[in-house]
Amino acid sequence: MNRPASRAGHGAATIGSTLGGALSALSAAPGQVAHLFRHRFPTVAVTGMTGIGKTRLVDRLARRSTAEVDDAGSAVMERRTRRTSKGRGFRIRVVPGDNAASRLWALDEVFHEEPVDGVLHVVAYGHATPRRTGGTSGAATATHEELLAAELEDWAITAHRIAGMAVRRGQPVWLIIVVTKADLFPDRIEEAVTYYSPGSGSAFGKKIDELRALAGGAHISIDVLPMSVPTEGGTGPRRRSDDQLATLERRMAQLSGHV
Ligand SMILES: Nc1nc2c(ncn2[C@@H]2O[C@H](COP(=O)(O)OP(=O)(O)OP(=O)(O)O)[C@@H](O)[C@H]2O)c(=O)[nH]1
Ligand SMILES: [Mg+2]
């Protein structure tokens, strides 16, 4: 693996003498470098409906403090890089949750044009922050049931995209359902995790089972993990949040072959 790469470095000098070898080395090397880079910095798509907590989560993952204007929501794809020790990490792409044209472009990008290695799909057990859609005024309101239903609808769209990608790619794809805002329902965390789990028979669980069926033989690994990223200065249990983050990061590293 080293040899062709170092040869390619002297490509111009050796091209006359060992034309065939040098040419094949030149064409192979960029692929190998890209492959190595991709292994060290796999791409991860972060999906989920508007107001669910994607931006807060990835800012925490990237060790970056969240911008003040939380309430606005994200209109375009956000990009972050998470660096871990030993020169590894993740390239994170956050698909905007609002149903704008930019969301469709972003979904196309992460699931079709530059298919990602893994997906963090963010849900919040009906605790998404209601956001106004463009052009309307006044505070947005929605009941818990409406928000749960909206999560389900949002997942149906994303699940189709993930299944399509898995089928086309023919290599394993991993998915972690991140149940965030757990600080808002501390006594119902287990119940929430079950609700989002495959085989649970819940409305969401059934949709996860459908994803498996849609993807056919393509391999998709599915995890469900609780998370909370309380606002800075908040009174929530910091310790639990740190543990949850550590668990998520460990699992992402395992799934990417980093450990
Ligand atoms: N209590 C609590 N609030 C959270 C948590 N995560 C996010 N929030 C709040 O929920 C709101 C929405 O979070 P965002 O991260 O902006 O949501 P988003 O998914 O990026 O939304 P869009 O950009 O519209 O797609 C913000 O007011 C956050 O402060 C959490 O774990 N706990
Ligand atoms: Mg956002």
Side-chain angles (χ1 to χ4, degrees), residues 80-253:
R80 303 273 190 280
T81 305
R82 159 94 178 104
R83 287 172 202 287
T84 55
S85 57
K86 298 183 199 133
R88 286 162 197 251
F90 297 94
R91 286 170 290 158
I92 304 173
R93 309 276 179 265
V94 188
V95 175
D98 201 356
N99 263 321
S102 59
R103 171 174 156 88
L104 296 179
W105 286 111
L107 283 169
D108 265 1
E109 184 175 328
V110 301
F111 293 129
H112 197 93
E113 286 156 29
E114 294 174 40
V116 292
D117 300 291
V119 182
L120 298 179
H121 182 75
V122 185
V123 292
Y125 208 32
H127 292 79
T129 305
R131 280 183 170 149
R132 282 180 279 122
T133 44
T136 49
S137 57
T141 52
T143 65
H144 182 77
E145 282 66 34
E146 282 167 348
L147 289 171
L148 263 184
E151 284 186 21
L152 203 57
E153 205 173 299
D154 171 77
W155 168 244
I157 294 167
T158 304
H160 265 89
R161 301 285 187 129
I162 296 175
M165 176 179 77
V167 168
R168 271 193 308 274
R169 271 188 107 186
Q171 71 181 63
V173 175
W174 55 263
L175 162 71
I176 302 178
I177 307 274
V178 181
V179 187
T180 199
K181 303 200 190 187
D183 55 305
L184 299 180
F185 47 95
D187 305 326
R188 301 174 70 198
I189 297 177
E190 258 182 62
E191 176 189 308
V193 166
T194 305
Y195 171 77
Y196 292 107
S197 294
S200 64
S202 71
F204 207 99
K206 283 183 190 154
K207 286 254 182 278
I208 302 258
D209 298 340
E210 272 172 38
L211 165 68
R212 280 246 165 87
L214 266 176
H219 186 76
I220 303 182
S221 88
I222 303 174
D223 286 79
V224 185
L225 293 176
M227 176 59 54
S228 43
V229 194
T231 16
E232 261 122 75
T235 51
R238 190 87 227 171
R239 176 74 198 287
R240 182 183 259 178
S241 165
D242 289 347
D243 289 350
Q244 288 167 340
L245 184 76
T247 304
L248 174 65
E249 290 182 336
R250 215 177 308 121
R251 189 64 187 133
M252 287 171 72

Side-chain angles (χ1 to χ4, degrees), residues 16-28:
S17 48
T18 57
L19 190 61
L23 279 182
S24 62
L26 276 170
S27 57

